[in-house]
């Protein structure tokens, strides 16, 4: 009986060893994004299309913007993500921290991008935006500006904001009457920062904070909150699926650019640059735009009139109304404001 | 003694309420996993098996299930092996400071999990064990071994040494006596330890949050990601499957405990039950 | 002194586990402590500047060599993409330094000897001796900054301890909150668990086994599943609200999710079995003869309880209570899933600094403090409950 037990044990151990080692063999190109409908459609029109065109196998995954995994990968020298989609300030800081490779402009054609669509370590992917929305089947006349959003008497109910200072502090200043052009000048001063936090304090008990892109639509949909500031792409998608419940208030738009970056130390870096060049071309982006409302950072694609007509969520048609989230400001002040924000939110 | 009866009734009602409180949430997950709707709300709008279907056809959930079992079994084997050996060593040895040694080997139980998790994360980042199954197995082994150690030590305490002496007088050399008398009698205790190790690894989340990358996600880790991200009732189906696994483990544990009790002297007057 | 064969064998049997525990647990804890006090950024990124500052007396400004070195090394660091950690470290010490360092790095082509003048022309801060003192101070291999910040203190540029700015001082309040929540959770668990354990201990074996099985089921169910269940139940449109509305207790759905209330409910739910189990085992072991003796001596029921039963059960209460308190202090998942930002405990911030802000120094410092507090609790536990061992909880 002992020997039978021992041999079963050995067999299990061997199986486990094989299973464990099997996970570490040579791998396909891994591209990681923020998930959601964009990624589902990008998988079809960008990643799998590239696989067909180039013969290189591509796998994709989702992350929440948490840079720590990338930092620990690079530090350990065991990089398992090759291409990552990053928000602008994280890209610049990551570049300074040496976790992203400098973009290979000999492979990726620099001049196809819109102004602001390139960075030392990143190639522009899409524009993304935050805007206010609510369920207009439940609420006939909701707030149309941030100043109105602060009026809890006229517009009762909970509000939901993104649980980061970026995008939220600007809203507070806009609500307090600071003109869009001056927002970052004011926010750069200690007095301006205090002003933003004081403004947020006024409605803090009514705020429900969200961390993941799916939450705003879910919170409004389930009635947990009355008004939310969420990603425009998801709002547009929710409208397409559930009938036009959520009005897109373009005057409340804040927008920025998401970039593709190659992780430093990736064994598939060369292929990664080639892929980035391919998926930032006009043709695949236009195909993607047929299924999902994107605002590409590619000049030619963005200028294509068919897209603007088909996708009401096309940000480039609305950027005149909106506030561009200043990358350089957040690179310089991000750490400090994040610390202050987290202290404030945890009080 | 009507006050006595009234009090007893009151206590039993109270106990019943508390037990309902303890079980209701677990029970509530079951109907939710059969919900036909998409939001996580009860009562459910109709019933369907779509979330189980979602679970069993999703490569993410299947990978998570595979990882959970691989890591769990490997952890159970490793932890049981190391823990049982150490317990035997402590039992057989004659030296001072046994209690201190046990306390030291059991420190992973005392240290808050998040501290252990982050310590492993930092240390692993230097040797490249983060985002690997091997690293996760090592981490889970560290967390489970104290349970194995203490369980086996407790079992050894109830072991009657005279049996070994009897085997010696019957001509059995120490290794044989060990193998054929000691090990079989403590086997239920060892099995309990192994179960505990598996259960600890299977349900473990905090260390997995830090140490596991997306390819090493275990079931709890995938559920956690789902709760923060996707929020669909597939999580409820995963929860039901986890509960069913827990029930199996509980039943197995009780079985081994009963067997263990039967094997030690059953008419020992010190036994409380 | 011969080591008996027995002990050699014993050592051989214990050695593997001992080695694994040391290598995979003790060493990582040591690494964490090192991370909390390590200060490598300035020395690694600005070696020549550090060397040039070694002879400096701390007043006026350093020599030209230091200025030249810092200009060259910052530019070099930016080129090799290693400037980030330095910028982050110094910015953490003094907000605004990241911008200064990067500005200086990028301005390489506009700077020329004598750097003493051109750097100050670029930015007046380079002419401030306290900045140089800060750099020189941080050339030291160890720092207390992370530990100080974890206690809401900070270092002035000149290296003196001062209180941290109010809008960043949350950690003392955080530790207080962690202990308060843990305390009330423990109290609630004991208040709820004691009667339950007592009732179960008075039941016939069959019913007692049924009762214990009902307590064991949640005990063996993972914390995540139980917390998830509460997450679902406490939603605005969830069953608890539906029940309250149906019974007419409230007129409108109550917000329960992401509140302190939710944290308490979920934590009590998760930790209650940890009190019931040891208490039950202690209560089963109480000899009923004691109570009968007290009755025969004329003691009324309440007196029998207070003077005889309660003291006999105290070891169980203490063991269960301490276990619950220690677990509660280190809780991570439950507050994160069902609590709001104002309900987060220390463990949340440890995870936050690791995964979100990439400030390993702060994460490690908080972890070390949490560990120290837990260690103190264990020592106190040993003193209050003789024979307190964590192995005393048997399922």
């Amino acid at each position: 009986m002992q020997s039978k037990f021992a041999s079963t044990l050995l067999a299990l151990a061997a199986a486990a060893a094989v299973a464990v080692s099997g996970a570490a063999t040579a791998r396909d190109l891994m591209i990681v994004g923020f998930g959601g409908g964009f990624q589902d459609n990008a998988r079809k029109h960008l990643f799998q299309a590239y696989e067909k065109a180039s013969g290189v196998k591509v796998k994709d995954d989702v992350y929440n913007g948490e840079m720590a995994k990338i930092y620990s990968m690079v530090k350990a020298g065991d990089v398992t993500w090759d291409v990552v989609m990053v928000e602008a300030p994280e890209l610049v800081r990551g570049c300074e921290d040496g976790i992203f490779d400098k973009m290979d402009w000999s492979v990726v054609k620099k001049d196809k991008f819109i102004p602001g669509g390139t960075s030392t370590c990143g190639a522009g992917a899409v524009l993304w935006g935050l805007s206010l929305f609510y369920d207009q089947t439940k609420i006939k006349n909701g707030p149309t500006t941030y100043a109105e959003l602060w009026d809890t008497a006229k517009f009762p109910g909970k509000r939901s904001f993104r649980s980061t200072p970026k995008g939220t502090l600007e809203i507070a200043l806009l609500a307090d009457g600071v003109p869009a052009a001056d927002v970052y000048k004011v926010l750069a001063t200690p007095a301006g920062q205090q002003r933003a936090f004081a403004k947020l304090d006024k409605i803090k008990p009514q705020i429900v904070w969200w961390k993941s892109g799916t939450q705003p639509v879910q919170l409004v949909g389930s009635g947990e909150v009355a008004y939310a500031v969420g990603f425009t792409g998801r709002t547009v998608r929710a409208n397409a699926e559930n009938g036009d419940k959520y009005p897109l208030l373009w005057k409340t738009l804040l927008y920025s650019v998401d970039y593709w970056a190659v992780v430093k130390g990736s064994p598939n870096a060369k292929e990664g640059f080639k892929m980035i060049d391919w998926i930032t071309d006009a043709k695949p982006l236009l195909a993607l735009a047929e299924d999902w409302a994107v605002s590409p950072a590619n000049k030619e694609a963005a200028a294509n009139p068919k897209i603007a007509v088909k996708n009401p969520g096309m940000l480039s048609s609305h950027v005149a109304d909106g506030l561009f989230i200043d990358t350089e400001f957040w690179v310089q002040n991000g750490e400090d404001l994040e610390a202050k924000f987290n202290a404030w939110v945890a009080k | 003694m009507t006050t006595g009866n009234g009090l007893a009734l009151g206590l039993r009602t109270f106990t019943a309420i508390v037990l309902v409180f303890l079980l209701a949430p677990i029970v509530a997950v079951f109907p939710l996993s059969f919900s036909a709707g998409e939001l996580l709300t009860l009562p459910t709008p109709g019933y369907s098996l779509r979330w189980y279907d979602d679970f069993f056809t999703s490569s993410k959930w299947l990978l998570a299930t595979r990882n959970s079992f691989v890591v769990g079994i490997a952890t159970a084997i490793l932890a049981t092996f190391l823990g049982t050996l150490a317990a035997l060593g402590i039992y057989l040895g004659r030296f001072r400071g046994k209690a201190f040694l046990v306390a030291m080997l059991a420190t992973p139980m005392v240290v808050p999990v998040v501290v252990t998790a982050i310590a492993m994360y930092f240390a692993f980042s230097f040797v490249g064990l983060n985002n690997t199954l091997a690293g996760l197995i090592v981490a889970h082994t560290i967390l489970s071994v104290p349970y194995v150690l203490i369980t086996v030590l407790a079992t050894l305490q109830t072991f009657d040494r005279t049996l070994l002496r009897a085997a010696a007088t019957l001509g059995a050399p120490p290794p044989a006596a060990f193998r054929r008398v000691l090990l079989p009698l403590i086997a239920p205790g060892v099995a309990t330890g192994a179960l505990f190790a598996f259960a600890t690894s299977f349900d473990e989340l905090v260390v997995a949050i830090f140490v596991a990358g997306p390819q090493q996600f275990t079931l709890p880790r995938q559920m956690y990601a789902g709760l923060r991200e996707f929020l669909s009732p597939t999580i409820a189906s995963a929860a039901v499957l986890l509960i069913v696994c827990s029930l199996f483990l509980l039943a197995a544990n009780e079985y081994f405990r009963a067997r263990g009790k039967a094997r030690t002297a059953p008419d020992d007057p010190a036994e409380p039950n | 002194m011969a080591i008996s064969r027995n002990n050699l064998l014993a050592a051989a049997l214990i050695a593997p586990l001992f080695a694994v525990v040391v290598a995979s647990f003790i060493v990582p804890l040591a690494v964490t402590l090192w991370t909390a006090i390590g200060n490598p950024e300035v020395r690694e990124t600005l070696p020549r500047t550090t060397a040039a500052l070694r002879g400096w007396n701390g007043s006026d400004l350093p020599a030209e060599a230091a200025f030249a070195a810092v200009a060259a090394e910052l530019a070099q660091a930016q080129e090799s993409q290693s400037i980030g950690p330095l910028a982050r470290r110094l910015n953490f010490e003094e907000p605004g330094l990241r911008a200064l360092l990067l500005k200086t790095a990028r301005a390489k082509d506009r700077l020329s000897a004598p750097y003493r003048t051109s750097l100050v022309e670029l930015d007046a801060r380079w002419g401030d001796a306290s900045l140089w003192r800060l750099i020189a101070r941080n050339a030291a291999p160890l720092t207390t900054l992370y530990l100080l910040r974890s206690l809401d203190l900070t270092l002035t540029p000149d290296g003196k301890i001062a209180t941290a700015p109010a809008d960043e001082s949350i950690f003392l309040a955080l530790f207080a909150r962690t202990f308060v929540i843990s305390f009330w959770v423990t109290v609630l668990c004991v208040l709820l668990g004691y009667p339950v354990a007592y009732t179960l201990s008075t039941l016939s074996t069959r019913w007692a086994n049924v009762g214990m099985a009902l307590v064991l089921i949640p005990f063996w169910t993972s914390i995540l599943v139980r917390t998830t269940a509460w997450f679902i139940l406490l939603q605005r449109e969830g069953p608890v609200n539906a029940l309250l509305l149906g019974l007419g207790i409230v007129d409108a759905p109550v917000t329960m999710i992401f509140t302190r209330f939710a944290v308490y409910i979920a934590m009590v739910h998760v930790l209650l079995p940890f009190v019931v189990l040891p208490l039950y085992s202690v209560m089963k072991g109480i000899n009923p003869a004691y109570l009968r003796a007290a009755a025969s001596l004329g003691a009324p029921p309440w007196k029998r309880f207070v003077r005889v039963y309660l003291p006999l059960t105290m070891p169980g209460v203490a063991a269960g209570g301490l276990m619950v308190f220690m677990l509660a202090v280190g809780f991570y998942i439950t507050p994160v899933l069902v609590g709001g930002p104002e309900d987060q405990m220390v463990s949340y911030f440890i995870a936050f600094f690791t995964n979100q802000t990439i400030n390993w120094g702060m994460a490690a410092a908080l972890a070390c403090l949490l560990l120290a507090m837990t260690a103190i609790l264990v020592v106190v536990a040993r003193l209050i409950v003789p024979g307190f061992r964590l192995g005393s909880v048997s399922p």
Side-chain angles (χ1 to χ4, degrees), chain A residues 282-298:
Chain A
K283 204 158 139 253
L285 286 171
L286 287 172
L288 171 61
E290 295 272 326
D291 278 342
W292 183 260
V294 284
S295 311
N298 177 301

Side-chain angles (χ1 to χ4, degrees), chain A residues 66-69 71-72 75 92-102 121 138 158 194 204 208-209 211 215 219 221-225 264 328 331-332 335-336 338-340 342-347, chain C residues 77-88 91-92 95-96 98-99 102 106 166-170 174 177 234-237 255-258 341-344 348-349 352 354-358 360:
Chain A
E66 286 179 348
M67 301 299 287
K69 279 275 161 359
Y71 277 78
S72 82
K75 182 171 181 144
V92 177
R93 249 187 267 159
C95 198
E96 287 164 4
D97 285 339
I99 59 161
F100 295 127
D101 261 334
K102 293 202 189 162
C121 295
K138 289 188 192 154
K158 297 219 177 227
Q194 271 165 12
K204 192 172 185 216
V208 175
W209 299 98
K211 284 209 160 76
Q215 285 175 286
L219 290 168
S222 72
E224 192 86 33
V225 304
K264 202 177 192 90
E328 192 57 35
V331 170
Q332 295 194 1
E335 279 153 11
D336 192 36
E338 258 159 50
K340 290 204 170 86
N342 287 305
W344 173 82
V345 100
K347 278 213 183 81
Chain C
Q78 208 215 3
E79 191 51 41
S80 64
Q81 289 180 285
S82 58
I83 197 171
L86 174 71
R88 177 179 294 115
N91 199 61
F92 183 65
R98 171 184 276 269
L102 279 154
R106 286 196 212 120
D167 53 6
E168 289 187 33
S169 293
I170 42 164
L174 191 64
R177 179 194 301 162
L234 294 174
Q235 296 278 335
R236 216 148 186 277
E237 300 185 345
T255 304
M256 290 178 291
I257 195 73
F258 305 133
E342 317 87 18
D343 310 309
Q344 297 311 313
Y348 169 80
F349 277 86
F352 176 80
T354 312
N355 287 329
Q356 245 134 302
T357 323
I358 327 261
W360 287 15

Side-chain angles (χ1 to χ4, degrees), chain A residues 86-93 128 166 256-259 327 331:
Chain A
V86 208
E87 285 186 34
E90 281 71 30
L91 172 76
V92 177
R93 249 187 267 159
W128 61 273
K166 184 176 71 170
S256 177
V257 187
D258 274 339
Y259 295 86
T327 307
V331 170

Side-chain angles (χ1 to χ4, degrees), chain B residues 83-178:
Chain B
T84 308
L85 279 190
L88 284 170
I90 292 175
Y91 177 70
L92 290 174
R94 303 237 171 287
F95 54 90
R96 309 256 291 277
K98 275 192 187 183
F100 176 75
L101 184 63
V102 173
M104 187 217 126
L105 292 173
T107 27
M109 264 192 343
V110 193
V111 173
V113 176
V114 72
V115 174
T116 310
I118 198 192
M120 303 228 173
Y121 176 70
F122 287 157
F124 285 0
S125 71
F126 288 107
V127 295
L129 273 178
N130 276 324
N131 306 331
T132 63
L133 276 181
L136 196 54
I137 292 173
V138 169
H140 281 185
T141 304
I142 293 289
L143 288 174
S144 327
V145 130
Y147 296 108
V148 176
L149 183 68
I150 286 173
T151 309
V152 178
L153 270 177
T155 314
L156 283 167
Q157 239 104 20
T158 64
F159 177 73
D160 189 354
R161 275 214 172 184
T162 58
L163 289 168
L164 279 179
R165 269 182 255 139
T169 60
L170 286 169
F178 228 65

Side-chain angles (χ1 to χ4, degrees), chain C residues 326-338:
Chain C
M326 276 174 39
L327 286 171
V329 162
F331 247 45
Y332 173 59
I333 302 169
T334 307
V336 165
L337 282 179
V338 302

Side-chain angles (χ1 to χ4, degrees), chain A residues 105-129:
Chain A
W105 297 117
S106 65
V107 174
V108 184
K109 308 290 173 293
K110 203 169 189 180
D111 46 10
K112 61 177 161 173
F113 294 99
I114 59 176
T118 60
S119 181
T120 316
C121 295
V126 289
L127 277 85
W128 61 273

Side-chain angles (χ1 to χ4, degrees), chain C residues 32-336:
Chain C
T32 306
L33 179 64
W34 177 253
T35 310
I37 56 178
N39 199 20
E41 290 88 356
V42 172
R43 272 179 318 132
E44 282 173 11
T45 325
L46 304 175
R48 282 190 298 153
T49 316
T50 312
L53 285 172
R54 221 163 270 150
W56 182 46
N57 64 359
S59 49
D60 303 322
L61 289 175
E64 164 70 10
F67 283 87
V70 88
E73 289 187 314
L74 283 177
Q76 157 72 17
Q78 208 215 3
E79 191 51 41
S80 64
Q81 289 180 285
S82 58
I83 197 171
L86 174 71
R88 177 179 294 115
R89 173 65 184 84
L90 290 181
N91 199 61
F92 183 65
E93 181 113 19
E94 178 91 6
L97 284 186
R98 171 184 276 269
L100 173 65
L101 291 173
L102 279 154
K103 180 178 169 190
T104 311
R106 286 196 212 120
K108 173 181 196 343
D109 303 321
R110 289 185 281 137
L111 296 172
S112 55
Y115 290 97
R116 230 172 175 206
T117 26
S118 54
L119 271 178
V120 177
E121 257 171 39
L122 175 69
D123 192 303
R125 279 178 285 183
W126 286 117
D128 185 355
S130 66
L131 170 63
W132 287 102
R133 281 198 286 272
L134 191 147
I135 295 177
R137 185 162 47 78
N138 280 308
L142 299 178
T143 178
T144 50
L145 184 65
Y146 298 118
L147 287 168
L148 287 172
R149 282 285 176 88
S150 303
L151 296 168
D152 290 339
L153 299 167
T154 189
L155 291 168
T156 63
D158 293 317
K160 299 205 177 28
I161 298 182
T163 45
D167 53 6
E168 289 187 33
S169 293
I170 42 164
F171 297 109
L172 286 177
L174 191 64
F175 280 110
R177 179 194 301 162
T178 306
F179 281 112
V180 165
I181 293 181
S182 305
F183 174 76
W184 285 114
V185 167
T186 307
V187 165
L188 283 169
C189 280
V190 169
L191 285 179
L192 287 176
Y194 196 96
V196 172
Y198 174 73
T199 312
L200 288 178
S201 70
T202 60
L203 293 174
S204 67
T205 316
R206 197 169 138 251
W207 282 110
N209 282 339
V210 168
M212 281 310 279
L214 292 180
V215 174
L216 283 173
I217 290 176
F219 183 75
W220 278 78
T221 310
S222 85
I223 294 182
L224 176 63
V225 169
R226 287 185 275 167
T227 310
T228 306
W230 279 110
F231 177 80
I232 297 170
L233 288 177
L234 294 174
Q235 296 278 335
R236 216 148 186 277
E237 300 185 345
V240 175
N241 263 322
L243 187 68
L244 291 174
L245 281 169
L247 291 177
I249 301 178
V250 294
D251 304 315
V254 182
T255 304
M256 290 178 291
I257 195 73
F258 305 133
T259 62
R260 184 68 59 92
F261 172 73
V263 173
Y264 276 121
I265 286 224
M267 281 179 73
V268 167
H269 183 261
V270 168
L271 292 171
L272 191 53
F274 286 90
V275 166
V276 173
L277 292 170
L279 264 180
Y280 175 76
S281 124
V282 164
M283 285 172 174
K284 277 298 276 194
I286 291 182
N287 196 334
Y290 292 140
L291 288 165
R292 272 181 266 139
S296 73
L297 286 168
W302 68 267
K303 212 167 188 185
R304 290 203 291 269
F305 175 73
V306 171
R307 304 287 298 272
V308 181
Y309 194 76
L310 194 56
L312 283 174
T313 55
M314 267 331 227
V317 171
L322 275 162
M323 168 123 257
V324 165
F325 190 80
M326 276 174 39
L327 286 171
V329 162
F331 247 45
Y332 173 59
I333 302 169
T334 307
V336 165

